[in-house]
Amino acid sequence: MTVNADLQHEVEQFLYSEVQLLSERRYREWLDLLAEDIRYWMPVRETRDGDGNGIAGPEGLAIFDDDKTFLAARVERFYSDVAHAEQPPSRVRYFVSNVVLRARGDGALDVGCNLLVYQARLEKTESFFVGRREDVLRRNAAGGWLIAQRKVVLDQVLLPRSISLFF
Amino acid sequence: MNKSQADVRVDAGLVSRRIFFDPEVYQEELARIFAKCWLFLGHESQIPNAGDYIAGYMGEDPVVTWRGEDGKVRVFLNSCRHRGMKVCRTDCGNAKRMQCSFHGWTYSTNGDLVGVPSLREGYRNELDRAQWGLLRAPKVASYGGLVFASWDEGAGSLDDYLGDLRWYVDVLIERQLGGLEFLPGQQRYALKANWKIAGENFAGDTYHLGHSHASLFKLDVRQINPINPLAYGKGLLYNNVSFANGHGLTGLVTGGERFELDLKLAAELGPEVVEYVRECRHRLETRLSPRQAALHALAFGNVFPNFSLNDFSALRPIGIYLWHPRGPGALESWQWCAIDAQAPQVIKDICRIDFPRTQAVAGIAAQDDTENFEQVTEATRGVIGRQLDFNYQMNLGNDAAATKEGYPGKFAPYVSETNQLGFYRRWAQLMGDGAQRPRT
């Protein structure tokens, strides 16, 4: 696969349409974009000496470490009407930028992007989540895209609130 | 109203909403509770080597828990004695010295001030460095590797502080074949809620489970995770137990059923896991009394004031939670996942994945708690609302048979608010006249 302006445009449009589904709470449609074998992973981070990076490894603590089955359970929970954290739903706005594509040997794409998520809830609860996503995208049978892997690393050590969203 | 009335009236099952709002009450809490009680800091497995440290808080005071070159764990106020700058600005690491980034005062692992720039020309060598070491918490102790400290020189031992609670937590500690191990990293998040609402919740709020977490009970949990706690224990007889120092445990099952359930679930995971569960049981039987061994696990609880834990099974993660106060209307939740260092790899993997999914920052249980805790706090702020009381009258007076033969602590029905009242009884004792102010 050759990374060119057309592919860059296509992938960016895919990412925009994906977060549009999330902000409109069309979660079941969103699940259709995820590969059956996805690892949806958000490791914790802490401030360490040296590079200050401090991202937990695969054996460390995570914020999300979900397979598709559990993501689907989260979705059903949100639609249950008694998931108080999102009942009534928050207003959520996603900003995707700095999209970088790299072709992989297996025909898939590594896609990195910056992510800014704004959550407004009830009367005055507001939270910002800021970080970077590293996805692996591959073509589905219909010629569209599937999210095969997703790693999200937030920049915050102390998160502004508990999380009742997807990233 | 202008009459003086206790904020906590245990006999009436009432607690004034004022104590969840009032800035003066909050300042008194920092002084009378957080500067006096034994507070949890972390686990020794996080700092195995000389020089290893973790940063944390005792109340709002930043501290460093630092293993000295002599192997001893000490707890210091994380603040340079010169002008107060934090000497440690990272969450964890290893250091033989900590140097303040402001003017360069430097401290050794035992807190001694070992370096002062311009000592000769600035201080004419007259600075008494022995007087200006890092401020050290006078009391530090560890139990099962869990490190606690107190700022109170006169505090009794940690054993005395835990009191009869220890008889139960021994089950958690002694069940671990290889000792507790904390997974690397921690979760932290902010809540706009008073710290006591979280502490009392873990101490005994079984009532909220069915309603706050109703969404969990609608899921087909066995498909999500074969060892989800919600698949547990339909029809079991649960007990709540509270203790003199304000601690509370809930969900205890005394008849050995938690072990039987673990065995059943282990069978689905293979013979190695069945063997593991039997070894845990054997270890408990050889180290503790038969009644303790039969408990097998605890469920959840709170060590007064702000250290909560859950422990449902030998096959599930142990959740460790701290509720750091950040003003009357704010707290920080710090949480870790602990596992048995010698658990089979399949169990370690399950624990690592299961912890973030449930009672954790993005877990399907904690989200709904945040919503409730924050809105409770918000609604106590107004001049009308804060004159009211919270109601803790469930099963009040119906707990006459409050003891159970052979078991320490005060027993109460599973659906009761006895544990929460125990939390506030202790709170009021420590607050003394700080909780007897005239009401506005």
Side-chain angles (χ1 to χ4, degrees), chain A residues 37-101:
Chain A
D37 59 348
I38 187 171
R39 183 184 189 189
Y40 180 92
W41 182 41
M42 181 189 283
V44 299
R45 73 182 315 161
E46 53 198 356
T47 308
R48 292 187 201 144
D49 271 336
D51 66 2
N53 201 7
I55 300 167
E59 302 308 313
L61 194 59
I63 294 168
F64 285 94
D65 197 344
D66 288 354
D67 53 18
K68 191 165 180 179
T69 306
F70 194 76
L71 288 168
R74 290 184 186 272
V75 167
E76 291 314 304
R77 195 185 85 84
F78 283 137
Y79 288 143
S80 71
D81 289 339
V82 285
H84 310 290
E86 286 298 326
Q87 187 53 249
S90 302
R91 282 82 60 186
V92 188
R93 194 71 53 199
Y94 292 79
F95 300 85
V96 169
S97 73
N98 304 59
V99 179
V100 176
L101 279 57

Side-chain angles (χ1 to χ4, degrees), chain B residues 267-382:
Chain B
E268 298 173 23
L269 298 166
E272 183 199 16
V273 180
V274 172
E275 181 57 24
Y276 172 68
V277 171
R278 290 194 185 284
E279 276 181 51
C280 290
R281 174 62 179 243
H282 179 70
R283 193 180 154 91
L284 286 173
E285 283 170 343
T286 51
R287 291 171 169 251
L288 301 174
S289 69
R291 287 196 180 94
Q292 287 168 297
L295 288 171
H296 188 63
L298 302 177
F300 59 95
N302 186 62
V303 181
F304 191 90
N306 67 333
F307 168 38
S308 298
L309 51 87
N310 63 32
D311 170 47
F312 292 95
S313 151
L315 307 176
R316 296 203 59 242
I318 293 164
I320 302 284
Y321 308 88
L322 267 180
W323 317 106
H324 286 308
R326 291 293 180 266
L331 71 87
E332 281 177 23
S333 173
W334 287 33
Q335 44 203 48
W336 296 264
C337 171
I339 54 179
D340 177 1
Q342 278 179 26
Q345 191 58 43
V346 57
I347 296 305
K348 288 186 173 182
D349 290 343
I350 285 174
C351 290
R352 182 174 47 74
I353 288 170
D354 190 60
F355 178 80
R357 292 181 177 182
T358 48
Q359 190 64 41
V361 59
I364 56 179
Q367 303 170 19
D368 295 331
D369 290 328
T370 295
E371 183 82 352
N372 293 329
F373 296 175
E374 290 193 340
Q375 299 290 313
V376 165
T377 303
E378 170 72 17
T380 61
R381 287 203 181 122

Side-chain angles (χ1 to χ4, degrees), chain A residues 104-133:
Chain A
R104 293 162 56 97
D106 57 4
L109 279 178
D110 283 324
V111 178
C113 70
N114 288 356
L115 188 67
L116 169 63
V117 182
Y118 170 73
Q119 176 187 23
R121 168 140 200 79
L122 304 180
E123 183 188 12
K124 58 191 168 195
T125 301
E126 288 186 301
S127 309
F128 285 96
F129 297 91
V130 185
R132 184 152 183 89
R133 273 196 328 212

Side-chain angles (χ1 to χ4, degrees), chain B residues 81-263:
Chain B
R81 293 296 304 282
H82 176 228
R83 292 292 171 72
M85 173 66 194
K86 281 187 174 184
V87 293
C88 175
R89 291 178 293 147
T90 48
D91 295 321
C92 57
N94 183 283
K96 296 290 192 284
R97 297 276 188 275
M98 289 202 189
Q99 183 174 57
C100 177
S101 60
F102 199 172
H103 303 91
W105 284 28
T106 303
Y107 304 90
S108 64
T109 59
N110 60 6
D112 290 348
L113 178 60
V114 295
V116 178
S118 306
L119 185 63
R120 190 170 49 80
E121 58 271 45
Y123 296 97
R124 299 179 304 283
N125 281 325
E126 288 166 5
L127 181 72
D128 181 5
R129 285 190 291 173
Q131 298 295 315
W132 295 98
L134 288 175
L135 188 68
R136 183 170 151 187
K139 296 282 188 175
V140 178
S142 126
Y143 160 52
L146 303 167
V147 179
F148 294 78
S150 166
W151 288 113
D152 182 7
E153 190 85 53
S157 69
L158 176 61
D159 267 1
D160 287 346
Y161 184 79
L162 296 173
D164 285 338
L165 174 73
R166 190 174 159 162
W167 189 87
Y168 295 93
V169 183
D170 277 348
V171 174
L172 183 163
I173 300 292
E174 296 295 344
R175 196 185 64 233
Q176 317 299 325
L177 302 185
L180 280 179
E181 180 178 82
F182 277 35
L183 285 188
Q186 66 181 144
Q187 297 188 346
R188 298 185 199 175
Y189 63 101
L191 290 86
K192 293 188 179 68
N194 185 275
W195 67 272
K196 295 187 289 300
I197 298 171
E200 68 145 272
N201 189 269
F202 273 75
D205 196 333
T206 51
Y207 191 32
H208 88 294
L209 296 172
H211 194 80
S212 288
H213 303 305
S215 64
L216 278 67
F217 294 91
K218 292 192 166 192
L219 300 175
D220 184 354
V221 292
R222 292 299 299 245
Q223 282 187 341
I224 298 164
N225 184 339
I227 56 169
N228 193 294
L230 301 176
Y232 267 38
K234 289 252 162 63
L236 289 186
L237 183 62
Y238 297 107
N239 297 278
N240 290 351
V241 194
S242 55
F243 305 90
N245 277 347
H247 319 310
L249 284 177
T250 189
L252 288 170
V253 181
T254 57
E257 294 92 337
R258 286 202 187 276
F259 169 68
E260 298 299 332
L261 277 165
D262 266 7
L263 266 189

